[in-house]
Amino acid sequence: MMIAKYSASGNDFVLFHSFIARDRSELARTLCDRQNGVGADGLIVLVPHAEHDFEWQFYNSDGSTAEMCGNGSRACAHYAYTNGLAPANMTFLTEAGVIGAEVEGDMVQSDLTPPKILREDIVAGGKKWWLLDTGVPHLVTFDADMENFDLAEARALRFEHNANVNIASVNSDGSIRVRTYERGVEDETLACGTGMAACFYRANREELVGDKAEVYPKSGETLYLGLEEGTITFKGLVKKTFETVLDVK
């Protein structure tokens, strides 16, 4: 089986395409294992779809499924275009809905599903949290200690609310810094696209930033987020790390 390894803003993924849609939870755990497998935050499998360029199956590294992944959507779009599975402007189906994406060299923009504010009244650890859905649920707080992300607190909140957990700050130039604890990975990751989108959307709703902002995850890469007619656009570089033939039992 031919597989590819991609990195998008520090999130890394194993990708391949197949004509068959089936449960690949165990395969995800095997391939994503960083000691005994390829090592990745997630597995993405592209399968045919009658109305869109393709449909994806997305698995976290623990084998659980996720409705959406922002960085994964950009890596997936680059993979699809590179392998002749979709044109540069494409649509594909996720469990969160239809995603549009555009590939320009190694720069990829995806248009995420419409954001939803679920709650604005959560108080925990002396912080005020919003719960938002940007394809998957995210807790977001601002003005936390960005240098010391309390992973124990994040882990507790993740299970209490079944959501990813983000701390963020708005810089003087209007850019946003974000750190994210991701469910399914069960640790902090170098970047989370839907998490950055959730932080950007809350900042926009509270008029801390305008309809466009640069966002920096833990990896330090620059992501470009925008709000256009209620849709969050998410743009940044994608890197193909390698591809190889893998003998999977």
Side-chain angles (χ1 to χ4, degrees):
M1 178 176 67
M2 179 69 77
I3 67 164
K5 176 78 178 288
Y6 269 78
S7 175
S9 307
N11 265 156
D12 56 347
F13 308 95
V14 175
L15 298 100
F16 67 89
H17 57 281
S18 172
F19 289 108
I20 301 172
R22 61 179 178 83
D23 182 8
R24 292 183 167 91
S25 301
E26 184 58 38
L27 179 61
R29 286 190 288 271
T30 299
L31 292 179
C32 294
D33 188 298
R34 295 194 183 275
Q35 282 71 47
N36 301 300
V38 177
D41 291 327
L43 169 67
I44 303 173
V45 184
L46 288 68
V47 297
H49 192 273
E51 298 178 13
H52 303 286
D53 292 301
F54 58 90
E55 180 178 357
W56 85 355
Q57 295 179 299
F58 184 92
Y59 298 91
N60 294 307
S61 60
D62 67 354
S64 63
T65 60
E67 295 87 350
M68 180 53 188
C69 174
N71 285 316
S73 71
R74 295 189 301 110
C76 181
H78 192 283
Y79 174 90
Y81 176 67
T82 301
N83 285 277
L85 304 174
N89 287 281
M90 69 188 74
T91 61
F92 58 95
L93 184 64
T94 72
E95 288 188 20
V98 178
I99 299 297
E102 181 178 0
V103 180
E104 297 179 4
D106 290 332
M107 187 70 74
V108 182
Q109 175 174 302
S110 61
D111 300 335
L112 306 182
T113 53
K116 301 173 185 175
I117 299 173
L118 304 178
R119 289 183 62 182
E120 302 177 22
D121 60 348
I122 299 171
V123 177
K127 308 178 189 69
K128 297 179 179 179
W129 301 84
W130 283 23
L131 180 63
L132 306 97
D133 189 325
T134 49
V136 291
H138 282 274
L139 285 165
V140 173
T141 191
F142 279 93
D143 299 323
D145 183 355
M146 295 299 296
E147 302 307 318
N148 296 290
F149 191 8
D150 188 338
L151 296 183
E153 177 188 49
R155 190 173 296 111
L157 287 169
R158 170 264 186 269
F159 284 103
E160 180 180 352
H161 297 278
N162 190 26
N164 301 281
V165 181
N166 306 265
I167 62 172
S169 66
V170 178
N171 301 319
S172 58
D173 62 359
S175 63
I176 306 172
R177 290 181 63 202
V178 176
R179 295 180 68 176
T180 304
Y181 180 98
E182 285 199 63
R183 62 180 189 175
V185 178
E186 303 310 336
D187 203 349
E188 182 179 10
T189 55
L190 292 177
C192 174
T194 52
M196 288 183 278
C199 294
F200 164 71
Y201 192 65
R202 175 175 174 176
N204 177 268
R205 294 297 87 188
E206 294 192 295
E207 298 183 346
L208 301 175
V209 300
D211 288 345
K212 292 184 179 180
E214 294 183 0
V215 182
Y216 299 94
K218 186 179 179 181
S219 68
E221 294 189 27
T222 307
L223 281 300
Y224 305 90
L225 280 88
L227 189 62
E228 298 179 5
E229 298 180 354
T231 296
I232 295 177
T233 60
F234 179 54
K235 186 175 184 178
L237 288 171
V238 170
K239 181 174 67 176
K240 178 181 176 182
T241 309
F242 66 83
E243 63 181 9
T244 187
V245 175
L246 195 66
D247 182 15
V248 178
K249 302 299 183 184

